[in-house]
Structure formats: structure tokens, C-alpha cells
Amino acid sequence: MKFKTLLLVLCFASTASFAQDKVKYTKDQIKKMETYLFNEGFNAPSPRKTSTIILKDGSSHKGFCNNIETKKGQIYEVSIKDSISKKGITFNADQISEMYVYPSNVEKIAKVAKYMGNIRNFGTKKLTKNTTSERIHFVNQTVSLKNKKDDKEFLMQLINPDFSDIISVYHDPRAKETGGFSVMGSPQLGGGVIKSYYVKKGDKIIWLHKDDFEDNYDFLFGDNPEFMKKYPKKSAEWDYFSFLVHEYTEMNNG
């Protein structure tokens, strides 16, 4: 009898613990969490609009960006034609603190076409982010590409500038997307979720792939008990990532 009672107690405790680890969200909550809050990632700067490069020594250089050199999509060298002297200047990433460029029209057109080709985008993303006329902000970061290479300085696009004071998220130009399906050439259904980013918290920057999201959840959000109770690891989905970073920032700053 005592053994059966003990089993019931253990079963109840296990069920209660599981319940604490899971939160059931409403459809409206899920829709809100699936909304993509990061800026669009761009790879090609416009050669017709003035770019601004700020070096580590504090000097600023403006000109037309006519070439970039990349490794795994991340910028390690930038060449501009000075807007005043008209001379060509080349800078290595380790010289640059930050850079502001405008996206090329060709890339914006391609992104609009891609946006229109996936029905999911209409409910989760803003088309205006693909046609932005604002400058793109690149920041110097020392990073191991895909967590495999030796640390090296690159210029990386910050895609959450409005809520990056605790967790900074950077565009991964080589990121793949989740798959969907289409019928007879119709717009794609489902898929289209970006699979990886570079993420910095404190002094640590990592390449974060969707498959490693759960393993890094505590590193990203675990220091806020209130957040972890509201958005426990077992209830979080990779699709919610931009929302979770924004919500975590709001809860920490609130």
C-alpha cells in the first residue's frame, strides 16, 4: 500500500514538474510570437549611394562602395571611392569600428520577389523591411565562423538595432531557410524561416543554428527567472526567436 502511495506521489510530482516546464499559448499569442521583428539582412551595398566608414582611430570616411571581400559571407575588406578626392581607398575589417551603407536596388527587388513567393511572409513579415531606404549598420566583431574557424575580425550587419542592448543579433549571409511546398508554381506554403544567426551576449558571440537553440536557451535567457517562467525552454520554438529576444530585452529593461 505504501509502495502504491509512493508511486502516486512521484507520478503527481513528475506531472506537476512537466506542467511547469510547458506553457500552452493561444493562437493569438503564437501569431504574435511568430512575427519577425529583426531587420532584413542585406549582402550587397549600393555603389551609387554614399557609404560611411568609421575607423577605430575615430576618423570617418565617406565614399561610394565599389567592392567588398567576404569569407562565408562576412566582410573582411571594403573598398570605397572617396566622395571628395575621388581616390580609391581600401580598408581591412580590423581597421574599421562600424560602417553604414545603403542596400542595392537589385537586391531589394530580388527580396520583394522572394517575399511575394511565400504565403507565410504575409502574416509574419513586413514588406517594407525589404524595400528600406535606411542605412544598414555593420559592426566590427571578432568571431569564429560557424563556431569552427579561428577567431577573426569581420564587419557584420546588426539586425536588431532597436533592441540590441543585451543581446545583439547579426545577419548570417550564408543562412539557409526551412523548406515549404508549392503546387503547380503557386506561392510557397510554409517554410522560409531563417535557420541561423550570429548572436552576441556579453563578451560571447556564437553562430546560433536552429538545431542548437535549445542547448543555448539558458545562456541567452536563463538569467531572467520571470522570462523563463513565461517562456520556458520546452515551450519555445525557433520560429519565435526574434520575439523572444525582443521580449527578453523589454522584461530586463522594464
Side-chain angles (χ1 to χ4, degrees):
M1 186 68 179
K2 290 183 178 180
F3 180 70
K4 289 184 178 180
T5 303
L6 179 60
L7 284 177
L8 286 172
V9 170
L10 290 174
C11 182
F12 177 79
S14 176
T15 303
S17 175
F18 179 78
Q20 290 174 359
D21 290 340
K22 294 282 288 185
V23 174
K24 187 174 182 179
Y25 302 113
T26 65
K27 288 184 178 180
D28 287 341
Q29 287 175 319
I30 292 173
K31 182 178 180 180
K32 182 178 180 181
M33 290 190 289
E34 287 182 340
T35 301
Y36 190 74
L37 301 178
F38 296 148
N39 288 348
E40 188 66 27
F42 289 92
N43 302 322
S46 172
R48 297 184 179 183
K49 293 186 177 181
T50 304
S51 300
T52 301
I53 295 175
I54 301 173
L55 301 184
K56 290 180 179 179
D57 63 12
S59 61
S60 179
H61 299 264
K62 293 186 177 183
F64 302 100
C65 187
N66 51 22
N67 187 54
I68 58 172
E69 296 292 339
T70 65
K71 185 174 184 179
K72 299 292 184 181
Q74 301 295 356
I75 301 172
Y76 67 84
E77 186 178 277
V78 181
S79 297
I80 63 170
K81 185 177 181 181
D82 190 273
S83 58
I84 298 176
S85 68
K86 307 302 181 184
K87 293 182 179 179
I89 313 173
T90 298
F91 300 101
N92 292 323
D94 58 10
Q95 297 176 272
I96 301 171
S97 174
E98 53 187 329
M99 177 174 73
Y100 296 87
V101 303
Y102 290 92
S104 71
N105 287 332
V106 172
E107 188 171 12
K108 287 195 287 186
I109 291 171
K111 284 185 174 291
V112 169
K114 184 177 179 181
Y115 177 96
M116 301 301 290
N118 190 323
I119 292 176
R120 185 180 187 277
N121 289 335
F122 300 139
T124 60
K125 293 184 177 182
K126 291 183 178 180
L127 178 60
T128 52
K129 289 189 176 183
N130 294 277
T131 59
T132 181
S133 59
E134 296 181 359
R135 298 188 302 177
I136 306 167
H137 187 197
F138 286 81
V139 180
N140 178 295
Q141 290 294 346
T142 300
V143 63
S144 169
L145 295 179
K146 290 195 171 182
N147 303 330
K148 296 177 181 179
K149 305 294 183 180
D150 292 337
D151 287 353
K152 187 175 179 179
E153 292 182 59
F154 294 95
L155 295 175
M156 308 177 75
Q157 183 191 345
L158 181 67
I159 56 175
N160 67 325
D162 296 331
F163 52 101
S164 62
D165 45 326
I166 303 175
I167 297 175
S168 301
V169 183
Y170 297 92
H171 172 50
D172 178 6
R174 295 294 179 87
K176 296 181 180 180
E177 296 182 355
T178 56
F181 66 94
S182 62
V183 180
M184 301 292 289
S186 63
Q188 180 176 305
L189 297 172
V193 177
I194 296 170
K195 286 186 175 182
S196 61
Y197 304 95
Y198 285 90
V199 181
K200 183 177 183 180
K201 184 179 182 184
D203 295 327
K204 184 177 180 180
I205 182 168
I206 61 172
W207 179 67
L208 182 64
H209 190 274
K210 69 181 292 290
D211 293 344
D212 303 318
F213 183 44
E214 186 173 335
D215 291 340
N216 287 282
Y217 200 81
D218 290 337
F219 159 65
L220 293 169
F221 310 118
D223 56 359
N224 187 320
E226 183 184 357
F227 177 92
M228 294 295 284
K229 183 178 180 180
K230 192 173 182 180
Y231 306 104
K233 183 190 304 187
K234 293 186 182 297
S235 298
E237 299 287 343
W238 175 252
D239 298 18
Y240 310 160
F241 183 54
S242 67
F243 169 85
L244 293 172
V245 173
H246 182 274
E247 185 74 358
Y248 171 83
T249 305
E250 290 288 302
M251 291 177 71
N252 274 278
N253 293 339

